């Protein structure tokens, strides 16, 4: 069992930079947008508010907005001009942010200045606002490349049916990301240790959230379990999200599907579970991209503590900010992993780094090596 000092050091390895936080949030925002694009019905009639008069022929202003020379009719319906962004009309700026398809919570992380009139117009923030305007126009360009009119997102916000159909997409994609982390770790620790799979491990080219969503939508069979050469199994059901275990009832598993069925039959019954299987670890995977989400921070949805399951218990989640791990001020104090809730876990990992689709394992080798070391112990390799 790790000491407090070792656990604290592990937490330090989980902290994301602001750029990494934005990259993770943006990746899942694009996943959400792709799902919306697929589900949305034709929008209602769209009425634009009165738009301030700005000079759409000033090439220096267009460059500041991340735009080239424009030939579009009514360009204000397509792009955010830097002068509009620096103007006083927050509702109008909000409309352009909405047109990106990024959710309200995500937009406050990706476009913090554009989301706040007071901060945006403060002295000294003009250059930072320009960066956000260029980034926002890049999003609008990306959305149009999906053959989708960004103004439809304004109508989408009123469409609860479509909204409901996008709620679980982040969890489904993040589930596959966690599977990638475990199976890749096993392959590096002991190549060939996985002898059978219930489901399909995505190939090396299908790792980003967007590609995984396309794979799922094309009928990809998300892995539910892997059977190891030593008889242990790794299951990826819900509640908990990951479990590593072996049979103790005299019936060794023949396939990964057998192992999953055995675990699924008892996973909500702790007493019966202890009679039929021996668990080495159980854990939760959280893909929430809202840094202020207390429930996701502390994984309070779990029905069991580490003591109740009598085994190691880990948390693998994003986004992991310094404030979440070390504590903040004011309303943020107490909403961190530095309180009694962290005692539920023997280990905490960053899903973004362990998933590694964008080089997180290379940027954070200590984190990846620590994750592999724990997987090696849990799997008896």
């Amino acid at each position: 069992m790790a000491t407090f000092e070792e656990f604290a050091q592990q937490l330090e390895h989980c902290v994301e930079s602001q750029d990494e936080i934005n990259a993770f949030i943006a990746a899942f925002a694009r996943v959400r947008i792709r799902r919306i694009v697929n589900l949305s019905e034709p929008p209602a009639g769209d009425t634009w508010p009165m738009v301030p008069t700005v000079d759409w022929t000033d090439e220096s202003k267009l460059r500041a907005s991340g735009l080239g020379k424009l030939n579009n009719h009514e360009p204000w319906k397509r792009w955010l001009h830097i002068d509009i962004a620096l103007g006083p009309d927050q509702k109008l700026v909000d409309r352009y942010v909405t047109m990106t398809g990024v959710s309200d919570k995500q937009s406050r992380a990706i476009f913090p200045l554009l989301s706040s009139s007071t901060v945006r117009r403060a002295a000294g923030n003009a250059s930072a606002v320009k960066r956000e305007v260029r980034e926002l126009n890049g999003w609008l360009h990306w959305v149009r490349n999906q053959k989708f009119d960004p103004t439809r997102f304004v109508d989408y916000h009123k469409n609860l049916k479509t909204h409901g159909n996008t709620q679980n997409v982040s969890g489904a994609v993040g589930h596959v990301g966690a599977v990638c982390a475990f199976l890749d770790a096993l392959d590096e620790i002991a190549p060939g240790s996985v002898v059978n799979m219930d489901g399909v491990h995505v190939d090396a080219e299908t790792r980003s959230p967007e590609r995984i969503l396309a794979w799922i939508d094309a009928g990809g069979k998300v892995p539910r379990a892997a059977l190891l050469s030593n008889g242990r199994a790794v299951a990826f059901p819900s509640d908990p999200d990951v479990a590593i275990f072996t049979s103790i009832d005299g019936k060794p598993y023949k396939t990964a599907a057998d192992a999953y069925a055995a675990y699924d039959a008892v996973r909500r019954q702790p007493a019966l579970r202890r009679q039929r299987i021996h668990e080495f670890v159980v854990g939760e995977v959280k893909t929430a991209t809202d840094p202020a989400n207390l429930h996701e921070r502390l994984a309070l949805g779990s029905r069991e503590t580490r003591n109740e399951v009598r085994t190691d218990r880990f948390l693998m989640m994003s986004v992991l900010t310094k404030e979440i791990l070390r504590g903040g001020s004011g309303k943020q104090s107490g909403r961190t992993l530095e309180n009694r809730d962290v005692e539920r876990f023997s280990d905490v990992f960053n899903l973004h780094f362990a998933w590694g689709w964008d080089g997180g394992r290379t940027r954070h080798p200590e984190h990846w090596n620590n994750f592999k070391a724990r997987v090696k112990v849990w799997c008896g390799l």
Side-chain angles (χ1 to χ4, degrees):
M1 188 66 63
T3 65
F4 176 80
E5 290 77 13
E6 290 171 334
F7 188 76
Q9 185 178 33
Q10 182 189 355
L11 289 181
E12 289 297 310
H13 290 156
C14 295
V15 175
E16 289 169 289
S17 69
Q18 190 60 52
D19 285 344
E20 288 172 323
I21 290 169
N22 287 352
F24 190 88
I25 292 173
F28 274 83
R30 287 192 290 271
V31 162
R32 174 178 169 271
I33 289 169
R34 284 190 179 275
R35 181 53 57 87
I36 293 170
V37 168
N38 292 338
L39 292 173
S40 290
E41 299 173 355
D46 184 35
T47 303
W48 269 78
M50 182 66 68
V51 179
T53 301
V54 298
D55 187 355
W56 289 94
T57 65
D58 186 328
E59 293 185 7
S60 65
K61 293 291 183 69
L62 293 179
R63 285 195 298 272
S65 307
L67 303 171
K69 186 176 181 179
L70 300 177
N71 297 314
N72 308 114
H73 177 61
E74 297 180 324
W76 59 86
K77 290 189 177 182
R78 297 180 61 83
W79 312 109
L80 174 61
H81 194 284
I82 184 63
D83 286 348
I84 297 176
L86 291 172
D89 192 340
Q90 181 63 40
K91 288 186 177 180
L92 182 58
V93 176
D94 287 343
R95 183 182 181 88
Y96 287 98
V97 174
T98 298
M99 285 169 56
T100 65
V102 176
S103 73
D104 291 339
K105 292 178 180 178
Q106 293 170 338
S107 67
R108 287 193 288 272
I110 299 176
F111 308 116
L113 298 179
L114 293 177
S115 299
S116 171
S117 174
T118 302
V119 177
R120 185 176 75 252
R121 299 174 64 202
N125 276 342
S127 61
V129 171
K130 289 179 182 179
R131 287 195 296 272
E132 288 193 16
V133 170
R134 291 193 290 268
E135 185 174 355
L136 184 144
N137 283 326
W139 273 91
L140 295 178
H141 179 72
W142 179 83
V143 170
R144 291 189 178 96
N145 280 345
Q146 314 310 307
K147 310 300 181 184
F148 192 78
D149 180 358
T151 61
R152 293 176 64 181
F153 286 121
V154 178
D155 184 63
Y156 159 77
H157 276 257
K158 306 170 188 177
N159 189 331
L160 294 180
K161 177 181 177 182
T162 302
H163 182 69
N165 281 326
T166 65
Q167 287 300 291
N168 295 325
V169 63
S170 292
V173 172
H175 168 95
V176 178
V179 172
C180 288
F182 271 86
L183 295 184
D184 290 350
L186 287 169
D187 188 55
E188 290 190 21
I189 294 165
S193 59
V194 177
V195 295
N196 189 252
M197 290 277 297
D198 181 12
V200 178
H201 185 25
V202 296
D203 61 49
E205 300 300 318
T206 308
R207 293 305 173 90
S208 72
E210 289 181 71
R211 291 196 174 192
I212 286 174
L213 176 63
W215 177 77
I216 291 173
D217 287 346
K221 186 180 180 184
V222 177
R224 296 197 302 178
L227 183 62
L228 307 183
S229 56
N230 61 7
R232 296 189 187 186
V234 185
F236 304 99
S238 59
D239 188 28
D241 297 318
V242 179
I244 298 174
F245 60 96
T246 191
S247 172
I248 58 172
D249 65 358
K251 300 177 182 178
Y253 311 126
K254 296 180 180 179
T255 66
D258 289 340
Y260 179 80
Y263 190 84
D264 190 53
V266 299
R267 62 191 172 97
R268 291 191 177 93
Q269 305 173 66
L272 184 59
R273 213 160 72 208
R274 288 193 288 270
Q275 294 177 25
R276 295 187 180 179
I277 65 175
H278 174 68
E279 291 175 303
F280 302 95
V281 64
V282 296
E284 298 180 57
V285 178
K286 301 294 182 185
T287 55
T289 54
D290 174 16
N293 192 318
L294 175 62
H295 172 83
E296 293 292 353
R297 285 183 179 191
L298 303 181
L300 296 180
S302 172
R303 293 182 174 86
E304 298 167 323
T305 68
R306 180 152 48 106
N307 290 335
E308 287 170 338
V309 296
R310 299 181 183 178
T311 189
D312 279 348
R313 184 149 175 263
F314 73 87
L315 172 66
M316 184 158 63
M317 66 177 289
S318 285
V319 169
L320 280 170
T321 66
K322 293 179 181 179
E323 289 73 24
I324 292 173
L325 294 172
R326 302 171 187 164
S329 59
K331 293 182 180 180
Q332 299 303 319
S333 61
R335 295 186 174 189
T336 75
L337 290 175
E338 291 184 339
N339 59 31
R340 60 189 177 87
D341 290 284
V342 78
E343 297 174 4
R344 296 170 175 228
F345 308 106
S346 57
D347 299 89
V348 175
F349 301 104
N350 189 307
L351 175 63
H352 189 181
F353 300 164
W355 185 341
W357 86 83
D358 61 352
R361 299 172 189 168
T362 303
R363 290 195 309 275
H364 302 276
E366 300 92 345
H367 179 279
W368 178 237
N369 288 333
N370 188 58
F371 177 71
K372 289 193 296 183
R374 298 301 288 148
V375 171
K376 182 177 181 179
V377 170
W378 296 330
C379 292
L381 299 173

